[in-house]
Amino acid sequence: MKLLLNGTPREIDARTLTDVLLAEGLGTAKVATAVNGSFVPAGLRATTELRDGDAVEIVAPMQGG
Amino acid sequence: MRAFYGTHLSNGFMLGTAQSPSPAILADAFQRSGASVATVSLRRESGQDRAGQDFWQMIQSLGVHVLPNTAGCHTVKEAVTTAHMAREVFDTKWIKLEVIGEEDTLQPDVFGLVEAARILTEDGFQVFPYTTEDLVVADRLLHAGCEVLMPWGAPIGSGKGLNNVFGLRAMRAHFPDVPLVIDAGLGLPSQAAAAMEMGFDAVLLNTAVAKAGDPAAMALAFAQAVAAGTLAAEADPMEPRDMAAPSTPVIGKAFLS
């Protein structure tokens, strides 16, 4: 499936948002997710089905002021 | 010190975690200064990069309160979505709400700020809005559900100190029961002390420590300035006056002329 993952076009074998995280090795990581600009809570990742062209954002803790 | 959404902090020193020369120096700055709150952020993570996971472990080891921000957000939607992501990742209702409105000064878009604050407080967030010293905006933020206000001292990263002392004094006087934090623009510990002497409840700064030659020492200097300013405010400072008033008694002085 063609996805825009964190702003980069990617071809990822995934059906749901959980599949993307597993493919990226972030299955257990401290991250938050959004699809097409909308927040997807952790509890909904497994049932959030993706479509070609979806924009997926994965964010993690980072330094901030 | 006034409580922040029911939380009593051990001191009024909030320290940002960005731009530090290294994680070890950042940890040292927190340990030496005893800063009570650390601001943090969210950034993209994918592929083999695991910087975020290591950073989060380090922050947790500090034992401080964590205040996630929405830095870099320019729209209400961006800020609200970021806040939701932050609440899940950092497991806190606290959010430092930034909706940036102008690039040169990084001043808040106060219209978007009020709207985002209303959306987030209705959703159970405890919002720390990065705002200006404008009293009308402050009032709107309180009506939107904010119980803390964070007026800027000066533009973010400028190190100019308290740009509008009159406006900040007016804000302190106008909202005597609201916890107020000077957020952004501080460059020197003396400016932090001045803010605390004016009765502000805390200062939040980042660049002044991160860009110092010795960040940990500068963090400690800020902590001491905050402590001095806090004590001075509690000690009820004298009123300034225009003309001199002799401090040494003149009665009984020898007549020598």
Side-chain angles (χ1 to χ4, degrees):
Chain A
M1 179 183 301
K2 285 188 175 61
L3 297 173
L4 197 61
L5 179 60
N6 283 349
T8 304
R10 294 275 301 274
E11 180 76 38
I12 297 177
D13 183 17
R15 189 174 60 84
T16 66
L17 191 50
T18 296
D19 295 340
V20 175
L21 287 170
L22 289 172
E24 289 296 294
L26 293 167
T28 58
K30 197 83 175 164
V31 293
T33 50
V35 175
N36 298 329
S38 295
F39 170 60
V40 179
L44 294 180
R45 288 174 194 160
T47 52
T48 299
E49 301 205 357
L50 300 172
R51 287 189 288 191
D52 256 339
D54 276 350
V56 175
E57 294 286 331
I58 304 172
V59 296
M62 195 53 63
Q63 294 84 352
Chain B
M1 192 197 307
R2 298 162 188 83
F4 297 86
Y5 293 100
T7 296
H8 292 272
L9 299 176
S10 55
N11 61 65
F13 185 27
M14 303 180 175
L15 183 57
T17 58
Q19 300 178 305
S20 187
S22 76
I25 289 173
L26 179 62
D28 196 25
F30 273 91
Q31 279 150 8
R32 285 187 70 185
S33 69
S36 59
V37 172
T39 55
V40 294
S41 192
L42 289 172
R43 286 295 179 270
R44 288 167 163 173
E45 185 151 284
S46 63
Q48 297 309 305
D49 179 18
R50 292 291 180 275
Q53 312 304 311
D54 295 340
F55 171 69
W56 178 231
Q57 281 196 348
M58 192 277 282
I59 290 296
Q60 283 182 303
S61 74
L62 298 175
V64 296
H65 294 277
V66 173
L67 177 59
N69 68 25
T70 64
C73 291
H74 287 72
T75 67
V76 172
K77 182 174 188 296
E78 258 188 311
V80 168
T81 302
T82 302
H84 277 99
M85 295 171 113
R87 182 164 65 176
E88 185 175 271
V89 165
F90 296 110
D91 195 24
T92 177
K93 294 177 183 173
W94 283 12
I95 189 76
K96 176 186 163 184
L97 182 60
E98 291 183 37
V99 184
I100 298 301
E102 207 278 324
E103 275 306 317
D104 287 333
T105 59
L106 294 179
Q107 68 186 86
D109 168 359
V110 295
F111 307 99
L113 183 69
V114 170
E115 188 182 341
R118 179 173 292 110
I119 292 168
L120 290 172
T121 53
E122 284 175 358
D123 205 2
F125 284 86
Q126 296 175 331
V127 177
F128 293 62
Y130 165 62
T131 184
T132 70
E133 65 275 36
D134 188 300
L135 297 181
V136 180
V137 173
D139 198 50
R140 296 287 167 89
L141 287 167
L142 295 175
H143 276 99
C146 297
E147 297 178 18
V148 173
L149 298 173
M150 301 212 299
W152 62 351
I156 295 170
S158 69
K160 293 174 76 71
L162 305 176
N163 242 356
N164 180 359
V165 170
F166 166 79
L168 292 169
R169 275 193 197 286
M171 193 174 196
R172 179 67 286 177
H174 203 72
F175 302 105
D177 301 322
V178 178
L180 299 179
V181 183
I182 296 290
D183 175 17
L186 299 185
L188 288 169
S190 54
Q191 298 159 353
M196 301 307 288
E197 289 164 3
M198 287 163 61
F200 283 86
D201 298 276
V203 296
L204 169 48
L205 55 106
N206 189 142
T207 310
V209 164
K211 293 297 183 190
D214 185 342
M218 187 59 83
L220 177 59
F222 267 101
Q224 292 177 345
V226 168
T230 302
L231 189 58
E234 290 168 359
D236 190 13
M238 65 167 282
E239 286 298 322
R241 49 179 286 158
D242 288 332
M243 293 297 140
S247 51
T248 302
V250 290
I251 297 171
K253 179 183 176 298
F255 186 72
L256 301 173
S257 60

